[in-house]
């Protein structure tokens, strides 16, 4: 299991990175690599070019912006988990990050990479959706904000254009009542089903091609989760009720 | 990149995984390779002091960074590192395949949290798979390592 050949690029600035991904055919951005490198090892992904953004300075900032928390593209999940600022302004983000894989993975994995990878069973996309946050995308054409509700389009598909780099994720200040619950076969595995609560809002993950907002009183309505070796569709619908009750206790 | 204090050039081929670089190019075979997709934890080393899985990094990415492998914890003939000593005392290993990864994860865990609760120990080792020793004695070894590490 070794990656197929690719050309490696290590830009030193966001501008350089954007001009590379805008001009290269079939380029993939490498941040923490905790999802991309397994795909390369399995050769499920065989990009012609890898643009490694790890050499870009000051790209790992976690700071307050517009009353919320902005997380730079290289901020590691472990740093977000440990951040006093995140704990104060957006404790749901800290709680959710602790559920992502294992600490050793989180030492390397990034919040923005997790969002851009858009695994439907991942916690952080559902957090961004529940909170109504956004991501910032940069390209040689300029930058734009993409709200969470528009960002996730299908399984591992997002609104990012092929020449765009996700440079920052923004989570609104959220000190109200929150909760996150998930069920997985083993600790650290992707969730079979999960629920994120903020106030009265409920976002589900692991049960649709993207994270979805749902009605806490009838969370499974309209869902058609897929079946796999780990869970049938019916079992996933059952888990939706279970995890929803956990974040909205009677 | 520096591995256990010695500088090594990065490999010419960018698709060389850091795990293969450490084992095949540098010759430090204490870092074991199990699954090569970040599940088993056998290839865990310290990157700038924090545990990471080197099957999920390209060797070129380690340029300018410091790596500590299991060989770097204690020099030959010297006293074992407290975590190694604890695994030895508590029978935390049997076949030994998963052991370097466990030891490096636990070194990282205890640096972050010198007095972990039983739950934090379980969480801390949950990313490493063992198929023969059994987790009970590994758990005991982590608690013993915390005792040995305390000043």
């Amino acid at each position: 299991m070794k990656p197929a050949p690719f050309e490696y690029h290590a830009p030193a600035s966001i501008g350089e990175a954007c001009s590379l991904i805008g001009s290269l055919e079939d380029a993939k951005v490498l941040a923490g690599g905790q999802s991309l490198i397994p795909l390369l090892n399995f050769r499920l992904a065989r990009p012609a070019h890898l643009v490694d953004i790890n050499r870009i300075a000051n790209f790992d900032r976690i700071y307050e912006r517009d009353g919320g928390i902005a997380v730079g593209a290289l901020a590691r999940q472990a740093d977000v988990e440990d951040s006093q600022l995140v704990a104060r302004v957006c404790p749901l983000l800290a709680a959710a990050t602790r559920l992502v894989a294992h600490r050793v993975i989180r030492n390397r994995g990034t919040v923005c990479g997790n969002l851009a990878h858009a695994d439907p069973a991942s916690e952080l996309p559902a957090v961004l959706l529940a909170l109504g946050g956004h991501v910032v995308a940069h390209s040689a054409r300029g930058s734009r904000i993409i709200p969470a509700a528009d960002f996730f389009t299908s399984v591992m598909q997002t609104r990012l254009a092929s020449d765009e780099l996700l440079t920052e994720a923004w989570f609104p200040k959220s000190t109200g009542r929150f909760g996150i619950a998930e069920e997985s076969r083993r600790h650290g595995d992707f969730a079979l089903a999960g629920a994120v609560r903020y106030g009265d809002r409920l976002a589900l993950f692991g049960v649709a091609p993207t994270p979805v907002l749902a009605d806490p009183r009838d969370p499974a309505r309209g869902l058609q989760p897929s079946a796999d070796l780990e869970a049938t569709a019916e079992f996933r619908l059952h888990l939706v009720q279970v995890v929803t009750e956990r974040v909205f206790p009677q | 990149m520096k591995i256990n204090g010695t500088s090594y050039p990065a490999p010419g081929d960018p698709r060389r995984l850091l795990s293969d670089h450490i084992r095949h190019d540098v010759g430090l075979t204490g870092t074991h390779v199990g699954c090569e997709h970040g599940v088993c934890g056998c290839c865990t080393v310290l990157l700038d002091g924090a545990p990471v899985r080197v099957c999920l990094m390209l060797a070129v990415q380690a340029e300018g960074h410091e790596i500590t492998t299991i060989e770097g914890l204690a020099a030959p003939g010297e006293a074992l590192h407290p975590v190694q000593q604890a695994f030895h005392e508590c029978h935390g290993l049997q076949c030994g395949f998963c052991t370097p990864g466990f030891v490096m994860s636990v070194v990282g865990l205890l640096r972050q949290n010198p007095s972990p609760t039983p739950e934090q120990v379980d969480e801390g080792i949950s990313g490493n798979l063992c198929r023969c020793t059994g987790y009970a004695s590994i758990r005991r070894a982590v608690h013993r390592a915390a005792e040995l590490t305390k000043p």
Side-chain angles (χ1 to χ4, degrees), chain A residues 225-249:
Chain A
S226 57
D228 56 28
L229 286 173
E230 297 201 304
T232 61
E234 293 71 29
F235 185 51
R236 281 204 161 84
L237 289 174
H238 167 70
L239 289 178
V240 165
Q241 300 289 350
V242 170
V243 291
T244 300
E245 281 167 27
R246 249 179 245 160
V247 293
F248 283 96

Side-chain angles (χ1 to χ4, degrees), chain A residues 105-158:
Chain A
I105 295 281
R106 298 195 294 273
N107 278 336
R108 199 72 200 147
T110 64
V111 166
C112 288
N114 182 290
L115 297 171
H117 186 61
D119 191 301
S122 182
E123 295 84 358
L124 302 181
V127 170
L128 195 74
L129 181 67
L131 292 177
H134 67 240
V135 300
V136 182
H138 263 78
S139 72
R141 297 174 286 132
S143 74
R144 63 173 177 142
I145 283 173
I146 310 174
D150 298 334
F151 184 64
F152 304 102
T153 56
S154 185
V155 177
M156 296 180 182
Q157 302 289 317
T158 69

Side-chain angles (χ1 to χ4, degrees), chain B residues 3-151:
Chain B
I3 304 178
N4 303 333
T6 306
S7 294
Y8 295 91
D13 186 351
R15 68 178 168 145
R16 191 72 151 162
L17 296 174
L18 184 51
S19 44
D20 288 337
H21 182 62
I22 290 171
R23 287 178 59 83
H24 303 311
D25 304 334
V26 179
L28 293 171
T29 53
T31 300
H32 292 170
V33 169
C35 72
E36 290 198 306
H37 64 290
V39 172
C40 74
C42 288
C43 68
T44 305
V45 309
L46 303 182
L47 178 79
D48 300 329
V52 300
R53 291 171 186 190
V54 284
C55 73
L56 298 187
M57 271 186 80
L58 304 172
V60 285
Q61 293 188 281
E63 273 218 282
H65 295 277
E66 296 213 11
I67 290 162
T68 307
T69 69
I70 188 79
E71 292 92 340
L73 288 185
E78 282 185 13
L80 293 175
H81 184 280
V83 176
Q84 292 172 312
Q85 181 64 33
F87 271 68
H88 173 67
E89 288 178 17
C90 300
H91 194 77
L93 67 156
Q94 189 169 304
C95 88
F97 191 85
C98 67
T99 310
F102 266 101
V103 168
M104 300 315 282
S105 291
V106 172
V107 170
L109 169 70
L110 295 179
R111 272 188 196 173
Q112 188 203 340
N113 181 357
S115 308
T117 63
E119 291 73 29
Q120 287 167 334
V121 167
D122 288 356
E123 216 272 335
I125 60 173
S126 64
N128 291 73
L129 298 183
C130 164
R131 294 285 95 123
C132 75
T133 312
Y135 298 102
S137 49
I138 294 176
R139 256 182 189 160
R140 276 195 293 276
V142 182
H143 290 289
R144 176 69 182 137
E147 281 173 22
L148 290 175
T149 310
K150 273 187 197 129

Side-chain angles (χ1 to χ4, degrees), chain A residues 15-227:
Chain A
E16 199 188 326
C18 287
S19 86
L20 280 167
I21 57 177
S23 59
L24 295 170
E25 206 50 43
D26 189 23
K28 203 79 184 131
V29 173
L30 173 62
Q34 304 299 288
S35 301
L36 179 56
I37 304 246
L39 292 176
L40 297 177
N41 287 356
F42 279 125
R43 301 200 176 191
L44 292 169
R46 308 174 65 125
H49 298 272
L50 266 195
V51 178
D52 180 358
I53 59 171
N54 284 276
R55 305 275 169 192
I56 299 177
N58 299 320
F59 213 15
D60 58 352
R61 291 174 65 209
I62 301 166
Y63 64 101
E64 259 183 305
R65 168 163 78 71
D66 302 324
I69 292 279
V71 179
L74 273 183
R76 312 287 166 182
Q77 290 151 3
D79 295 330
V80 170
E81 181 182 344
D82 296 343
S83 161
Q84 296 293 317
L85 184 64
V86 172
R88 182 163 52 79
V89 180
C90 191
L92 168 59
L93 175 59
T97 305
R98 268 177 221 118
L99 297 177
V100 177
H102 307 282
R103 177 75 185 194
V104 174
I105 295 281
R106 298 195 294 273
N107 278 336
R108 199 72 200 147
T110 64
V111 166
C112 288
N114 182 290
L115 297 171
H117 186 61
D119 191 301
S122 182
E123 295 84 358
L124 302 181
V127 170
L128 195 74
L129 181 67
L131 292 177
H134 67 240
V135 300
V136 182
H138 263 78
S139 72
R141 297 174 286 132
S143 74
R144 63 173 177 142
I145 283 173
I146 310 174
D150 298 334
F151 184 64
F152 304 102
T153 56
S154 185
V155 177
M156 296 180 182
Q157 302 289 317
T158 69
R159 208 59 86 181
L160 276 182
S162 62
D163 66 340
E164 280 181 318
L165 174 67
L166 198 167
T167 52
E168 192 169 287
W170 181 80
F171 299 85
K173 182 178 169 110
S174 41
T175 48
R177 187 150 186 198
F178 70 88
I180 180 164
E182 65 179 32
E183 276 298 325
S184 58
R185 288 284 179 196
R186 289 157 304 204
H187 179 91
D189 275 11
F190 277 110
L192 302 174
V196 174
R197 172 191 185 174
Y198 185 65
D200 294 331
R201 275 162 77 90
L202 170 68
L204 301 171
F205 54 98
V207 291
T210 65
V212 287
L213 290 174
D215 179 352
R217 285 158 303 180
D218 187 10
R221 190 175 63 212
L223 288 178
Q224 292 180 303
S226 57

